[in-house]
């Protein structure tokens, strides 16, 4: 029988919304990770997450060129008072090549993007609006100033940034309060610790780690993306999940397996527990957003919030990231690590 214990809550930023300590990344429900074979199960997963206290639901306008926003829209509208809705702007994809990205942070684009998201989602206000990626040609103060106008107009409630450096976060914070910074953070990806984590802690900004399960790799669900995953699966494009890199990285899961066995837990639960525990370790709010399409996984993920790792277990897991082969993206220029 599933455990129906609700997860705890945390506040995003000093003035942001109260949310469950774990959110839900909705991208994979309709985009990036191969075809969704059972949309009904994905919709039921949204509902089950809410029952378990997950209230932060994360999407973006670029996910399926707006289709992901449309997918979660009926659920969001049905539970508008309970759900904290996060979406993002800045990225657009080339219809001819879905992996080719254009980044825009200018004011006219932002105003166009927010109207598109509001329409697709069928809401009057977005709870948390992120700049998805940084266009270095536009001063970040200018971008955040344009975002702040949306708050003043009531189209957006809180502001967030994704994949920014510590200095970019500090500059943005001089213009308007920032509730959350989203970046990849997991046992396999720790470059965010170079400066952003400390800056966020100092400024009272929450960290929202995406891909806390290493895009599924940390659960042991696949090893070779190029051999095991669908042709249109985004992970086939990521260096650490293919060829010799994948085989080397799979071997790094052994300490995770050791800790999982000690707790009677899954690999994924230990990976998530590690991320959740960084809140206490680093002194800031941390709300990871693992993604899934299945209710059973939501229940498993929620269970990770009740696992506490010992100092010895944290020490055993500590060296993993330093041994990972391959970058998290083929092109790291658009990540905070590419500019930090």
């Amino acid at each position: 029988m599933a455990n129906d214990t609700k997860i705890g809550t945390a506040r995003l930023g000093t003035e942001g919304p109260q949310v469950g300590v774990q959110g839900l990344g909705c991208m994979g429900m309709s985009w990036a990770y191969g075809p969704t074979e059972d949309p009904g199960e994905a919709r039921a997963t949204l509902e089950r997450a809410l029952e378990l206290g997950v209230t932060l639901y994360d999407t973006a306008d670029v996910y399926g060129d707006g289709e992901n926003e449309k997918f979660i829209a009926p659920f969001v509208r049905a539970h508008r008072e309970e759900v904290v809705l996060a979406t993002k702007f800045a990225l657009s994809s080339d219809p001819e090549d879905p992996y080719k990205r254009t980044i825009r942070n200018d004011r006219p684009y932002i105003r166009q993007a927010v109207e598109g998201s509001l329409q697709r989602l069928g809401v009057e206000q977005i709870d948390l609006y992120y700049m998805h990626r940084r266009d270095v040609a536009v001063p970040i103060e200018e971008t955040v100033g344009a975002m702040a106008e949306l708050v003043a107009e009531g189209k957006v409630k809180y502001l967030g940034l994704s994949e920014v450096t510590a200095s970019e976060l500090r500059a943005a914070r001089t213009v308007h309060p920032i509730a959350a910074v989203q970046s990849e953070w997991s046992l396999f990806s720790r470059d965010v610790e170079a400066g952003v984590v400390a800056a966020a802690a100092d400024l009272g900004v929450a960290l929202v780690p995406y891909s806390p399960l290493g895009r599924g790799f940390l659960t042991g669900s696949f090893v070779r993306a190029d051999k095991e995953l669908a042709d249109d699966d985004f992970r086939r494009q990521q260096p650490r999940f293919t060829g010799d890199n994948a085989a080397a990285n799979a071997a790094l899961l052994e300490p995770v397996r050791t800790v999982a066995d000690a707790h009677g837990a899954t690999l994924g639960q230990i990976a998530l527990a590690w991320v959740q525990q960084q809140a206490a370790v680093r002194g800031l709010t941390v709300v990871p957003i693992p993604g899934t399409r299945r209710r059973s996984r939501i229940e498993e993920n929620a269970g990770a919030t009740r696992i506490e790792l010992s100092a010895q277990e944290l020490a055993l897991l500590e060296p993993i990231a330093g041994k990972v082969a391959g970058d998290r993206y083929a092109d790291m220029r658009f990540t905070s690590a590419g500019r930090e």
Side-chain angles (χ1 to χ4, degrees):
M1 187 172 175
N3 189 324
D4 282 338
T5 304
K6 284 200 171 189
I7 64 174
T9 62
R11 185 171 298 283
L12 294 183
T14 53
E15 303 162 32
Q18 194 84 6
V19 297
V21 293
Q22 190 180 100
L24 178 60
C26 299
M27 178 181 79
M29 289 187 165
S30 62
W31 188 70
Y33 294 157
T36 301
E37 294 167 3
D38 189 348
E41 175 63 16
R43 294 187 191 284
T45 299
L46 294 167
E47 298 283 351
R48 182 67 179 132
L50 191 60
E51 289 173 2
L52 293 172
V54 174
T55 56
L56 178 63
Y57 290 76
D58 184 273
T59 183
D61 59 3
V62 73
Y63 299 161
D65 196 21
E67 289 303 313
N68 197 249
E69 288 179 324
K70 291 178 185 176
F71 183 85
I72 71 166
F75 165 78
V76 170
R77 290 196 299 271
H79 303 283
R80 194 65 196 97
E81 297 306 309
E82 301 165 88
V83 165
V84 175
L85 169 65
T87 191
K88 316 178 197 72
F89 73 89
L91 282 175
S92 58
S93 56
D94 185 337
E96 301 298 316
D97 179 2
Y99 297 110
K100 185 179 179 183
R101 299 277 187 268
T102 300
I103 301 176
R104 285 183 63 181
N105 289 175
D106 57 283
R107 185 176 179 276
Y109 181 82
I110 294 169
R111 301 198 72 84
Q112 172 190 323
V114 76
E115 295 300 339
S117 286
L118 288 168
Q119 184 175 15
R120 286 186 294 273
L121 291 158
V123 298
E124 294 182 357
Q125 187 180 54
I126 293 162
D127 297 313
L128 177 57
Y129 200 42
Y130 286 102
M131 179 191 80
H132 203 163
R133 290 292 186 273
R134 171 100 165 87
D135 175 2
V136 294
V138 181
I140 197 159
E141 295 89 345
E142 191 177 308
T143 299
V144 176
M147 295 169 72
E149 291 174 12
L150 304 179
V151 176
E153 294 166 18
K155 297 178 191 295
V156 169
K157 198 175 281 187
Y158 304 105
L159 301 185
L161 303 169
S162 179
E163 290 286 359
V164 292
T165 66
S167 60
E168 289 165 352
L169 174 58
R170 290 185 184 282
R173 185 63 183 79
T174 65
V175 178
H176 192 276
I178 303 298
V181 167
Q182 190 172 122
S183 194
E184 188 164 354
W185 198 10
S186 73
L187 283 169
F188 263 38
S189 299
R190 297 181 58 179
D191 52 67
V192 71
E193 296 170 23
V196 179
V197 170
D202 184 42
L203 296 170
V205 176
L207 234 297
V208 177
Y210 69 83
S211 300
L213 294 171
R215 300 190 184 274
F217 193 87
L218 286 166
T219 68
S221 61
F222 74 96
V223 175
R224 286 280 302 268
D226 48 338
K227 300 286 188 185
E228 300 171 53
L229 303 181
D231 289 347
D232 60 349
D233 195 303
F234 171 67
R235 291 169 288 188
R236 292 170 66 100
Q237 310 293 320
Q238 296 183 289
R240 59 180 51 166
F241 302 140
T242 56
D244 292 342
N245 286 350
N249 292 337
L252 299 178
L253 296 180
E254 282 311 306
V256 188
R257 203 165 272 115
T258 299
V259 177
D261 289 345
H263 284 268
T266 65
L267 294 176
Q269 285 180 317
I270 298 305
L272 277 175
W274 181 88
V275 175
Q276 301 273 179
Q277 210 157 320
Q278 295 310 301
V281 172
R282 308 273 173 180
L284 79 167
T285 300
V286 178
V287 180
I289 49 169
T292 183
R293 304 167 178 172
R294 300 204 298 276
R295 283 171 285 182
S296 60
R297 288 294 191 192
I298 280 289
E299 292 162 2
E300 178 185 329
N301 293 349
T305 66
R306 295 184 286 277
I307 295 173
E308 185 164 348
L309 304 176
S310 69
Q312 290 83 358
E313 288 168 336
L314 290 172
L316 184 65
L317 300 172
E318 182 66 25
I320 292 174
K323 299 175 183 177
V324 173
D327 281 330
R328 49 193 179 98
Y329 291 103
D331 186 346
M332 289 287 285
R333 287 179 301 160
F334 308 115
T335 67
S336 58
R339 300 186 306 279
E340 194 73 70

